[in-house]
Structure formats: structure tokens, C-alpha cells
Amino acid sequence: MTPTRRDRLLVHLTADLVILTIRAGVLHVLLVERGTVPFLGRWALPGGFLRGAETLDGTAVRELREETGLDAERFHLEQVGVYSAPDRDPRDQRIVTCSYLAIAPDLPVPTAGSDARAAVWRPVDELLDDPEGLAFDHGRILRDAVDQARAKLQFTTIATSFCPPEFTVSELREVFEAVWGVSLDRPNFHRKVTDAEGFLAPTGRRRASAGGRPAALFRAGPATALMPPMLRPPGGSGR
């Protein structure tokens, strides 16, 4: 029977997480090896089905805790998009997912959840070069989340979410360079971020550096919008 406009469709909801961190100066994402069908043995973004009385935001928070062992309060967490293509999941059920971007600094080596064989950090650019290598439509979801992070670095203070509670301007510059895939002029970057209203808050402390003067330490300031914006220079990684 051909469906009509009045037919109702049973839909199952999931939340998928793009968990980003910077390791050794390189942008990484958390992947899990699937331990169940479909896509048994394939790498995928962590995520799971909406349960009981949860909201989708609650599902994302729970999956974040289960996949990293960390509380969501430590993360910058925001929605990226909803994915509802009929063929995005090969199971008989219609499954729609809401993707979330999660950012935190210095995340540990992950441990696999109950339905995963393994969990690893993988460099983002390697995966963007081969989006079909991930299960489901997770290559597209990863691309959208990374594009969102790259764009928001220009106009918001999201970059500090990659940093520890106290950080140097050099460490902040390394965040922009890792996410954007560019090299930035040090004096120009220092001037821009310290002049941006509410972006950084001085702590009054310094950290010793190898072979140089102690570097001033900052923490994230109260601003959420970056004024003036930090426009991404041409030539960065755009994969």
C-alpha cells in the first residue's frame, strides 16, 4: 500500500556525539568500534537511543558520560543538526538522529562502552579525507560538526573550551591553528585576542617556559561573542 499524507510513521530517535579535543597539537575526535550489527566492526561516532523520559539533550549527556567517564558540565555541548534520510540506517526501523558537538581539553584515553569493542582518538583530517570509512552517515555528521566548530571560532569564544582552566596565549593560538589547519602570526594573534573585549581574563600569574620568559596565564572571560571577530585566513585545512 502506498503511504498517504495522513499515515503516521513510527520513528526512533538517537543522539550522536562529535567529541573533539586537541592532542599533541592535532584536532582529534572520539570513535568507537561497533560491537553489534549493523556495521559490526566499523568505526562510528559514539551515541545511543533515546530512553524512557529522557530529552535528546539528556541522551547526549548520558552518552557523553558513558563514552568518556566525564560529566557534561566539563564540556562545551551544543546541537549540530538533525539527520533523517530514510536510508541513513539500514535497520528495519526508521531512525532519526540529532548530532551534538562536544568540546573539552586534555581528554583521557577512552574506554569502550557496553556496545563497543574499542574506543580511540583519531585525527579529524584523516577521517575527513575518507568520510565513507565511518558507519552510517557519520562522515557527514563529522564534517558538519567540524565546519561548525571552525566557523564559530571566528565569531564566538568557543576556542577557550579546548583549553584548560588557565592557559597561555600561545596555547590558545595552538587551538586556532589545530582547528583551522593554519599557521598564525604570533604577535598579531596576541594583539587580537588580548584586545577582544571579554575574551580573556588575566589571572595575574605566570608559567615558566623553556628557554624564555614566564608566560602570562589567562582564563576564559565573560564574553560569548568575539568582538572584533577572528576571521579564518585563507589556505587552511578545508577537507
Side-chain angles (χ1 to χ4, degrees):
M1 180 182 297
T2 303
T4 70
R5 290 187 305 167
R6 297 180 64 86
D7 288 335
R8 294 185 179 184
L9 181 67
L10 178 63
V11 174
H12 298 268
L13 298 176
T14 63
D16 286 315
L17 290 158
V18 179
I19 304 174
L20 298 180
T21 196
I22 295 175
R23 300 171 64 83
V26 176
L27 185 65
H28 282 67
V29 64
L30 179 65
L31 296 182
V32 295
E33 184 183 3
R34 288 186 57 79
T36 59
V37 294
F39 299 107
L40 178 66
R42 290 275 296 277
W43 292 104
L45 299 169
F49 283 91
L50 181 76
R51 294 180 184 173
E54 284 181 334
T55 64
L56 275 171
D57 288 358
T59 302
V61 168
R62 173 177 52 78
E63 289 293 335
L64 194 56
R65 182 177 62 250
E66 291 178 356
E67 298 295 344
T68 67
L70 298 175
D71 194 292
E73 290 184 359
R74 180 178 172 183
F75 288 76
H76 172 89
L77 182 65
E78 63 181 49
Q79 287 189 17
V80 176
V82 174
Y83 300 81
S84 59
D87 60 349
R88 65 167 303 274
D89 193 303
R91 284 170 282 200
D92 291 337
Q93 307 147 321
R94 181 72 180 275
I95 300 175
V96 173
T97 196
C98 181
S99 64
Y100 288 81
L101 172 64
I103 297 171
D106 302 324
L107 294 181
V109 176
T111 56
S114 59
D115 59 350
R117 290 177 170 178
V120 297
W121 291 109
R122 290 277 303 277
V124 163
D125 278 349
E126 290 181 7
L127 300 168
L128 296 181
D129 281 339
D130 182 26
E132 300 302 319
L134 296 180
F136 304 103
D137 52 356
H138 289 185
R140 178 189 171 191
I141 293 173
L142 174 62
R143 155 71 73 183
D144 290 349
V146 171
D147 284 348
Q148 181 164 309
R150 287 172 172 167
K152 295 197 77 167
L153 250 66
Q154 299 184 98
F155 304 105
T156 76
T157 58
I158 192 177
T160 59
S161 299
F162 286 99
C163 296
E166 295 186 0
F167 52 88
T168 66
V169 169
S170 291
E171 290 169 336
L172 182 64
R173 188 190 71 253
E174 289 168 2
V175 168
F176 280 85
E177 291 179 335
V179 177
W180 280 349
V182 298
S183 294
L184 298 173
D185 179 76
R186 296 187 179 193
N188 189 45
F189 179 85
H190 190 284
R191 176 182 57 79
K192 286 184 176 181
V193 298
T194 53
D195 286 350
E197 184 176 355
F199 188 15
L200 303 181
T203 67
R205 292 184 289 277
R206 291 182 174 270
R207 179 189 299 157
S209 58
R213 294 185 304 171
L217 287 169
F218 296 85
R219 60 178 179 271
T224 56
L226 194 52
M227 295 296 293
M230 290 277 295
L231 298 182
R232 183 183 179 193
S237 174
R239 293 193 288 272

